[in-house]
Amino acid sequence: MTTVYLDGKFMPMSEAKISPMDRGFLFGDGVYEVIPSHSGKPVGFLQHMDRLKKNLAEIEIKVTMSDADWRLVAESLMAENGNGCLGIYIHVSRGADITRFHAYPEHIKPTIFAFAFDIPETPEPDKNTVKGYKVVSAEDMRWKRCHIKSTSLLGNVMHFQNGQERGVHETILYNRLNELTEASSCNVFIVKNEVVATPPLDNQLLPGVTRNMLIDILRKEAVLEIQERIINMAEVRSADEIWLTSSSRGVVPVVELDGKQVGNGNVGDIWQLAQALFSAHKFDY
Ligand code: PLP
């Protein structure tokens, strides 16, 4: 049975109860994290903690848990749930009030919920065996605070659903200027002539931990040029390679965009190189 964590206690998922007056439920008023873990070892734990703290400060939720407290929760969930390839989901909402009123109430306690779920194993860095994603593109219709990892995910959910209904894995998003932002649940990288590029961080995209780690690893290894810059959709459509990054999926090659093949339609050599470096160094973070 799945064990979860709710407000200081571990319990079976079926026993975890949250008030319908919780602002996470009524307003999507909260933030979350997903920390990947492979063979019992978390990846990027401190970076996830930093982002969680920034996000909590940004929406003015005060939580007294330290990084060590969160680590204990994550490790207990990993031990309880089999220590395979897991995503540790951490969710902090503003808490439950007795009435529904938009302003932040002053005297309520945040609701803290965490559980573990299976994530795919990191693929071998082999372009011949990895399965490439198919994606579509759409204008980004979300809000102007996409840098916050908010639990208000309806905009993302609708974009993701659009992809599902069109029989693909993800939807890549662009702004009104036809510039790439990110995907509905991932960051996006392109490769052209062996130069790797990804959009710069701003309010249009989530500062992905996987994105950050991959950039850092590629810069340290210095085998490829890597740029953070504005990328228009014409460049995305003519890229040699496209990759998606997220904690639960790692670095995923894309082989088809809007029904057309990416590059030569096969997973690329640069993905293979980047995946090998990412696998070798991900536990450094
Ligand atoms: N962008 C969005 C909208 C996401 O939801 C996610 C992950 O859930 C990411 C990017 C990737 O972030 P990370 O690498 O921290 O998982």
Side-chain angles (χ1 to χ4, degrees):
M1 192 180 302
T2 307
T3 299
V4 305
Y5 172 91
L6 178 62
D7 294 334
K9 295 194 190 93
F10 292 92
M11 61 191 78
M13 183 163 318
S14 57
E15 286 174 22
K17 303 277 186 283
I18 296 173
S19 165
M21 296 307 288
D22 196 282
R23 291 176 60 98
F25 180 62
L26 295 177
F27 295 115
D29 182 356
V31 293
Y32 75 107
E33 277 300 323
V34 174
I35 305 164
S37 156
H38 296 273
S39 315
K41 282 187 277 179
V43 174
F45 185 81
L46 289 177
Q47 292 198 23
H48 285 281
M49 289 297 103
D50 281 352
R51 186 171 63 187
L52 178 63
K53 281 180 268 189
K54 271 191 202 134
N55 282 188
L56 287 168
E58 181 126 24
I59 68 168
E60 298 173 43
I61 292 181
K62 288 188 188 66
V63 169
T64 50
M65 285 173 75
S66 66
D67 290 356
D69 295 333
W70 286 117
R71 180 107 194 181
L72 220 56
V73 170
E75 282 175 355
S76 303
L77 289 174
M78 279 149 50
E80 289 282 347
N81 288 282
N83 266 341
C85 293
L86 296 171
I88 306 299
Y89 177 90
I90 290 176
H91 176 125
V92 182
S93 82
R94 198 174 304 279
D97 200 357
I98 50 169
T99 184
R100 181 182 177 278
F101 180 59
H102 287 60
Y104 302 165
E106 284 192 355
H107 303 295
I108 60 172
K109 247 179 47 212
T111 302
I112 300 178
F113 174 57
F115 73 102
F117 61 98
D118 291 331
I119 60 173
E121 277 181 33
T122 308
E124 289 301 316
D126 179 353
K127 63 179 186 169
N128 299 311
T129 54
V130 69
K131 195 169 158 19
Y133 269 27
K134 295 180 179 182
V135 304
V136 288
S137 65
E139 184 177 342
D140 196 339
M141 301 296 276
R142 301 171 302 160
W143 67 337
K144 293 186 179 159
R145 290 173 173 154
C146 292
H147 60 292
I148 302 176
K149 198 163 172 64
S150 162
T151 56
S152 310
L153 283 172
L154 188 56
N156 303 60
V157 165
M158 290 175 78
H159 279 310
F160 192 87
Q161 180 64 17
N162 162 56
Q164 293 285 294
E165 284 168 9
R166 292 165 69 184
V168 301
H169 300 91
E170 247 293 14
T171 302
I172 285 183
L173 304 171
Y174 51 86
N175 65 17
R176 292 173 78 179
L177 301 173
N178 215 28
E179 296 161 352
L180 175 66
T181 57
E182 58 178 343
S184 72
S185 63
C186 306
N187 292 113
V188 183
F189 288 70
I190 65 164
V191 181
K192 186 74 184 178
N193 299 329
E194 304 196 355
V195 176
V196 181
T198 194
L201 294 182
D202 62 16
N203 64 331
Q204 301 179 96
L205 65 155
L206 190 78
V209 170
T210 321
R211 171 193 180 281
N212 191 45
M213 283 167 46
L214 183 60
I215 291 173
D216 197 52
I217 291 167
L218 295 182
R219 288 207 170 123
K220 278 188 182 143
E221 292 297 312
V223 283
L224 291 166
E225 184 181 342
I226 170 130
Q227 304 172 339
E228 290 175 84
R229 62 170 178 82
I230 290 171
I231 297 169
N232 65 48
M233 283 306 287
E235 290 180 85
V236 178
R237 295 186 197 291
S238 64
D240 299 331
E241 299 185 25
I242 301 175
W243 313 331
L244 305 178
T245 62
S246 82
S247 294
S248 49
R249 279 162 296 193
V251 185
V252 178
V254 174
V255 291
E256 187 186 294
L257 167 60
D258 291 330
K260 300 204 175 76
Q261 64 182 39
V262 174
N264 64 10
N266 297 316
V267 175
D269 293 325
I270 309 294
W271 173 82
Q272 186 165 292
L273 174 60
Q275 178 62 51
L277 294 173
F278 188 76
S279 291
H281 293 287
K282 67 177 190 238
F283 291 119
D284 302 350
Y285 295 84

